[in-house]
Each structure stands twice: as structure tokens, then as C-alpha cells.
């Protein structure tokens, strides 16, 4: 069977960024990130989810955090210099990013939004993010993702 390529994979190939594709079986609904990590056989610490938020200034921000983690809104706001930050409504996701819930990638959004990747990625050789479609993930070096998204590292996850 021919490998199915998503737009994210095509973009990474075009930019000559090395990645490993991962695919998992899924139903109509997206599975949570921890389950996705299990399905592709990668430790959950290496798998990151993409969250889209809106600051008090109405600017949009993207946060890439470990799938088992929870975005700490105060830390997130501080990381991007906002007074406050809130998750966008899921109904806005497709219009803002071009992606659906469960298939949102920090790579290849409709617009380049300020992106913050949780600092735990800095210590990893590779990390896994959505490939822009439910059931598809890409594994790549965190530095490559930082360069591609013009992102930065910050501690934005709630402590246990």
C-alpha cells in the first residue's frame, strides 16, 4: 500500500526536513494523545499536542505541549506577553488553522502564528506532532520544529 502523505509531510519534504511518519487506525472521532502515543508505539513524553489560543489582545497563539500535559493559561500568557489567554472554541479551529480537532499540526497552518513549544522538547532527540490529519503523526527533531514554526521554548504546562 502506498504511503499516504499529508500536506504537513509534503511541506517537511519540500523544506528538506527529515521526519518519520506514523499512522494509527482510528474511528470517526479523534483519540486522545496518550492513546495515539500507545497506538504508534512511542512513549507519551515524546508525543505533543497542538493547542490554539487567543490572547487578551485578540492575537492567536499556538502551544505545543506533551499529550499528557495541561496548558497552564497564566504561564502561557506570560510566555507570549499577554495579560490573559484562553483556548479558542473548537468551531473556530478549522477557519483559523485549516485543521480539525485531533488533526491540528503546528506545521503548515493557514497563517504563521506565534508558537511556543514546551521546554521538555528541548531535551528530546525527536518529538512527535500531528501530521495535520487524524490518524497521522510525524516525528522530527525539536530544533527543526522550532525553526519551521519560528517558535520558542517555554514552560507552559501545569505542574502535577
Amino acid at each position: 500500500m502506498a504511503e499516504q502523505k499529508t500536506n504537513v509531510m509534503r511541506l517537511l519534504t519540500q523544506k528538506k526536513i527529515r521526519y518519520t511518519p506514523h499512522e494509527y487506525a482510528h474511528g470517526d472521532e479523534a483519540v486522545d494523545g496518550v492513546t495515539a502515543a500507545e497506538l504508534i508505539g512511542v512513549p507519551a513524553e515524546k508525543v505533543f499536542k497542538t493547542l490554539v489560543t487567543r490572547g487578551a489582545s485578540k492575537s492567536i497563539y499556538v502551544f505545543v505541549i506533551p499529550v499528557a500535559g495541561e496548558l497552564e493559561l497564566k504561564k502561557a500568557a506570560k510566555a507570549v506577553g499577554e495579560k490573559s489567554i484562553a483556548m479558542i472554541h473548537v468551531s473556530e479551529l478549522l477557519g483559523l488553522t485549516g485543521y480539525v480537532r485531533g488533526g491540528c499540526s503546528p506545521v503548515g497552518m493557514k497563517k504563521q502564528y506565534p508558537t511556543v513549544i514546551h521546554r521538555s522538547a528541548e531535551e528530546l532527540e525527536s518529538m512527535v506532532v500531528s501530521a495535520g490529519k487524524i490518524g497521522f503523526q510525524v516525528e522530527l527533531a525539536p530544533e527543526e520544529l522550532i525553526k519551521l514554526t519560528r517558535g520558542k521554548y517555554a514552560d507552559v504546562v501545569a505542574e502535577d
Side-chain angles (χ1 to χ4, degrees), residues 1 8 11 21-22 42 66 80 114 124-125 127 129 138:
M1 175 174 105
V8 170
L11 185 69
H22 294 282
V42 174
V80 295
L124 300 173
E125 275 185 41
M127 63 188 293
V129 296
V138 288

Side-chain angles (χ1 to χ4, degrees), residues 25-152:
H26 60 90
D28 292 338
E29 289 296 305
V31 297
D32 68 90
V34 175
T35 303
E38 288 168 9
L39 290 171
I40 63 172
V42 174
E45 302 76 53
K46 284 183 67 168
V47 182
F48 286 67
K49 58 188 171 186
T50 304
L51 304 174
V52 183
T53 63
R54 180 176 283 117
S57 69
K58 304 290 183 227
S59 293
I60 300 297
Y61 300 95
V62 175
F63 292 90
V64 183
I65 67 167
V67 292
E70 194 178 312
L71 186 66
E72 166 89 45
L73 296 175
K74 283 188 175 125
K75 287 181 182 178
K78 188 176 175 192
V80 295
E82 285 279 357
K83 261 191 252 154
S84 64
I85 223 159
M87 297 297 297
I88 64 159
H89 194 275
V90 72
S91 63
E92 295 180 273
L93 193 62
L94 183 62
L96 287 170
T97 66
Y99 295 126
V100 297
R101 182 176 179 270
C104 188
S105 178
V107 177
M109 289 190 176
K110 283 182 170 181
K111 283 177 69 182
Q112 178 78 54
Y113 297 112
T115 301
V116 176
I117 299 169
H118 187 257
R119 70 166 186 220
S120 63
E122 261 183 299
E123 291 134 38
L124 300 173
E125 275 185 41
S126 67
M127 63 188 293
V128 177
V129 296
S130 173
K133 195 173 179 189
I134 295 172
F136 295 87
Q137 305 274 304
V138 288
E139 186 170 347
L140 72 165
E143 304 78 54
E144 295 287 10
L145 188 61
I146 284 281
K147 278 193 278 188
L148 192 61
T149 61
R150 297 191 210 109
K152 67 177 185 176

